[in-house]
Amino acid sequence: QYNEKCNTNFNRNEDIAGCPLYMFISMLSTTSWCVSNLCRNTPPPSMQHLELIIQCIISLMRHGINFKQNKGKIFLDSNGKYTNEKITSLIEDILSNLAWATSYLTTYEYGTYPQLSYADKNPMDYVIKRLGEEGIIEQFINLMDYENKNVRHA
């Protein structure tokens, strides 16, 4: 949940000093990068961690898609100018990082997890099922035609 009071300009970037919402998107971009890197390494996450990672992906993807769809309506700098390139770049970073995170989660050589129901014994199937139920897989499919090749490639 966005809260202007919780954002700081931690890297002292003058470009974002006047726009707390831009700082929030910057934080989401950094968080998505972190999640992607957590998913990239081995061994695969435990079931408890897998569910938390899935929840992060769902939340970040919803924010990323919302900002992608509404960036022209809500992002103006302190001079009333739309900062399209900066905002667009951060949003694309979020979407690309989440696509990579999901890719990593679905390529592990998982064992079976006894705590999963019979139908979900394979954690890769569980990831796909959870993201599908939340509409995230559909969002990834929609990004396959995205104009930025880095987002499409992920």
Side-chain angles (χ1 to χ4, degrees):
Q1 185 71 19
Y2 172 71
N3 183 341
E4 183 175 331
K5 295 176 184 175
C6 295
N7 291 299
T8 62
N9 189 359
F10 56 88
N11 44 358
R12 311 267 189 262
N13 185 337
E14 290 303 316
D15 293 333
I16 65 173
C19 183
L21 199 50
Y22 184 84
M23 289 186 280
F24 179 66
I25 292 180
S26 180
M27 180 190 66
L28 293 177
S29 176
T30 302
T31 303
S32 69
W33 173 83
C34 182
V35 168
S36 177
N37 280 295
L38 287 171
C39 295
R40 183 167 58 178
N41 295 320
T42 56
S46 67
M47 193 59 206
Q48 177 185 3
H49 292 133
L50 183 62
E51 179 57 31
L52 294 172
I53 290 169
I54 290 170
Q55 290 173 19
C56 286
I57 290 172
I58 291 167
S59 178
L60 289 165
M61 188 68 165
R62 286 185 177 152
H63 280 295
I65 293 297
N66 181 44
F67 287 130
K68 175 185 166 292
Q69 293 171 341
N70 297 299
K71 65 184 178 185
K73 300 175 189 171
I74 57 177
F75 295 107
L76 301 175
D77 66 13
S78 57
N79 298 320
K81 182 181 175 193
Y82 174 55
T83 53
N84 183 15
E85 291 179 33
K86 297 172 195 170
I87 298 296
T88 299
S89 177
L90 285 174
I91 293 168
E92 289 172 349
D93 287 347
I94 293 168
L95 299 174
S96 179
N97 287 332
L98 295 175
W100 279 112
T102 303
S103 173
Y104 299 140
L105 288 178
T106 57
T107 56
Y108 279 121
E109 292 293 328
Y110 290 100
T112 57
Y113 286 68
Q115 65 270 40
L116 292 176
S117 69
Y118 177 74
D120 295 323
K121 289 282 187 207
N122 182 340
M124 181 175 69
D125 292 342
Y126 179 75
V127 170
I128 293 168
K129 176 184 170 191
R130 286 280 287 120
L131 295 179
E133 290 170 348
E134 298 292 333
I136 304 303
I137 300 294
E138 183 179 347
Q139 294 298 331
F140 283 133
I141 292 169
N142 292 337
L143 292 174
M144 292 175 81
D145 290 333
Y146 198 76
E147 59 270 11
N148 183 314
K149 66 180 174 84
N150 292 329
V151 174
R152 280 194 320 264
H153 176 72

